[in-house]
Amino acid sequence: GAGVSQTPSNKVTEKGKYVELRCDPISGHTALYWYRQSLGQGPEFLIYFQGTGAADDSGLPNDRFFAVRPEGSVSTLKIQRTERGDSAVYLCASSLGLGADTQYFGPGTRLTVL
Amino acid sequence: QKEVEQNSGPLSVPEGAIASLNCTYSDRGSQSFFWYRQYSGKSPELIMSIYSNGDKEDGRFTAQLNKASQYVSLLIRDSQPSDSATYLCAVIFGAGSYQLTFGKGTKLSVIP
């Protein structure tokens, strides 16, 4: 079956602009996670959803970052007033449920803020 | 502060040798531990999960957990050039949390 998909694969934007990053989880997976990974670092947790609700958004760095999952499947990570420090690979993962063992990662979206 | 520490490497081993990757974590109460492999430019892929003290074997991979020492390791036997990648240790800290906290990863190179 299909894995986690993310679009776009690459996004280049200018400082101050708004961006949306999309994640389509594995069919049937109710839990969805967002991480971001900077060069030479491990992934850093941002937020996770169980169904439509954000169960833990403690990793969002500030109020410029927001994520939604309105129908419990596809999720969108939204970044307002982008800054150069937001440049990273944004990874989405899904699992069968919050208690499930394996988080399956998508290919990521590489965001570059000029 | 919840932290996961790994030696960034690079760790170089000859083909056929055993590669040993190590990880320490800050919270003694942690229950869930994972090893992910990440090829350059790709996303992390789960290799092993371990929850109890001792060893867990899966093919050429063995995960070892020592909660008293707050230490988890990954052994790769009969290392192959295709094992060359960055290995990420990840921990779920505390009950009721499902976020993975990752170390920075150890870059492994297996030399033919």
Side-chain angles (χ1 to χ4, degrees), chain B residues 4-69:
Chain B
V4 178
E5 299 286 343
Q6 293 182 258
N7 187 325
S8 61
L11 173 66
S12 294
V13 300
E15 184 174 355
I18 295 175
S20 178
L21 304 160
N22 305 313
C23 171
T24 58
Y25 58 93
S26 60
D27 185 353
R28 185 179 291 270
S30 303
Q31 299 294 324
S32 304
F33 308 88
F34 306 86
W35 282 100
Y36 281 80
R37 178 175 62 199
Q38 188 172 30
Y39 292 112
S40 181
K42 302 296 184 182
S43 58
E45 171 192 13
L46 183 69
I47 299 175
M48 296 279 287
S49 57
I50 187 166
Y51 306 99
S52 303
N53 279 329
D55 294 0
K56 179 181 178 182
E57 186 174 320
D58 183 0
R60 297 187 294 112
F61 299 95
T62 299
Q64 299 175 317
L65 176 61
N66 183 325
K67 290 185 180 181
S69 300

Side-chain angles (χ1 to χ4, degrees), chain A residues 37 42-43, chain B residues 6 34-36 38 44 86-90 102-105:
Chain A
Q37 187 172 24
Chain B
Q6 293 182 258
F34 306 86
W35 282 100
Y36 281 80
Q38 188 172 30
T86 295
Y87 288 80
L88 297 161
C89 174
F102 285 87
K104 291 183 178 181

